[in-house]
């Protein structure tokens, strides 16, 4: 069994606030065996996989990490919400990837910024916003600079300094964000109190953001797949 199964089994149980002892009893196995499944020390059989999927109300594909959707469905571009009513007229097969990825990112950002408000921290909102804006700036500058005919005077920061300076600014934003989230007060900034951090589960995300949930979990899955490519 892959490592995703162990992680998701433990995640589902904890999100539903079910003790390991209770879950094991409900699933008809010993607590020790369930512990081994959740830690990835043992592989389960197909019968148990199906039973666990039924118990938690998810698909087998979700338990195995093959789908970010609890019900195992595969989303299409038409299933993602779009604030631009003229999109269908402009999308062609050649731009389908752009349209799909744009919707994943934009919809996920709606979730991110909605969650930011729950922290009641100007520093958290500011630094996340700065980090994201710098990321877009960096990508835009790469695209702009691809053609040597494009005048670099469009930018104030010299091209020889742009990349390193942008990386430094992003690192600073990340450091301030991390400090604020951990309750560390930096001069001129604020910090998040313990009771201000929202509790987030797959269920709360799907209920609070029914339009954007699919985009967010698919963006997470795609990003982690890319990360695993370079870390394994």
């Amino acid at each position: 069994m892959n490592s995703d199964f162990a992680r998701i089994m433990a995640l589902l149980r904890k999100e539903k606030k079910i003790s390991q002892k209770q879950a094991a009893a409900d699933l008809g196995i010993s607590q020790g065996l369930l512990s081994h499944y959740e830690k990835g020390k043992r592989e389960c059989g197909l019968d148990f996989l199906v039973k666990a999927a039924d118990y938690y109300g998810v698909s087998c594909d979700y338990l195995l990490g093959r789908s970010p959707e609890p019900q195992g469905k595969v989303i299409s571009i038409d299933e993602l919400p779009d604030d631009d009513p003229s999109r269908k007229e402009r999308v062609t097969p050649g731009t389908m990837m752009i349209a799909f990825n744009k919707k994943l990112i934009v919809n996920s950002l709606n979730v991110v910024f909605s969650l930011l408000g729950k922290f009641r921290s100007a520093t958290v909102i500011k630094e996340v916003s700065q980090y994201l804006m710098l990321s877009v700036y960096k990508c835009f500058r790469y695209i702009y600079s691809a053609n040597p005919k494009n005048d670099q005077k469009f930018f104030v920061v010299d091209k020889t300094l742009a990349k390193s300076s942008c990386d430094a600014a992003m690192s600073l934003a990340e450091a301030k964000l991390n400090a604020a989230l951990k309750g560390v007060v930096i001069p001129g900034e604020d910090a998040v109190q313990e009771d201000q951090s929202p509790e987030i589960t797959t269920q709360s995300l799907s209920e609070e953001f029914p339009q954007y949930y699919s985009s967010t979990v698919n963006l997470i899955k795609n990003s982690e797949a890319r990360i695993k490519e370079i870390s394994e």
Side-chain angles (χ1 to χ4, degrees), residues 107-218:
N107 292 343
S108 296
L109 285 176
N110 281 318
V111 174
V112 169
F113 279 101
S114 293
L115 292 173
L116 283 182
K118 297 184 178 183
F119 286 96
R120 293 174 296 185
S121 166
T123 297
V124 169
I125 296 172
K126 180 183 67 174
E127 299 308 330
V128 169
S129 300
Q130 286 292 327
Y131 189 90
L132 292 171
M133 285 191 284
L134 287 163
S135 297
V136 174
Y137 163 82
K138 188 175 181 180
C139 291
F140 176 80
R141 185 143 190 177
Y142 272 122
I143 294 169
Y144 183 94
S145 301
N147 189 332
K149 295 180 180 179
N150 293 336
D151 192 346
Q152 289 297 318
K153 290 186 174 64
F154 181 80
F155 304 100
V156 174
V157 178
D158 186 87
K159 65 179 181 180
T160 58
L161 300 174
K163 181 184 181 303
S164 296
S165 298
C166 187
D167 288 344
M170 291 173 70
S171 293
L172 179 60
E174 190 172 5
K176 288 185 175 182
L177 171 63
N178 188 43
L181 291 175
K182 290 185 176 180
V184 178
V185 180
I186 296 176
E189 307 292 346
D190 59 26
V192 175
Q193 304 301 314
E194 288 186 10
D195 61 347
Q196 292 179 340
S197 298
E199 182 177 353
I200 303 171
T201 67
T202 52
Q203 182 175 348
S204 68
L205 284 176
S206 63
E207 291 177 351
E208 188 172 355
F209 309 104
Q211 282 186 299
Y212 305 132
Y213 176 76
S214 291
S215 296
T216 303
V217 294
N218 275 277

Side-chain angles (χ1 to χ4, degrees), residues 11-43:
L11 176 66
L12 287 172
R13 180 179 60 76
K14 292 174 181 177
E15 283 191 347
K16 294 181 182 298
K17 295 179 169 56
I18 302 172
S19 69
Q20 195 175 71
K21 181 179 180 180
Q22 182 61 56
D26 293 341
L27 291 167
I29 60 174
S30 69
Q31 183 177 351
L33 181 56
L34 179 59
S35 176
H36 284 166
Y37 287 159
E38 291 187 355
K39 292 178 180 178
K41 294 182 178 180
R42 292 278 300 274
E43 293 187 357

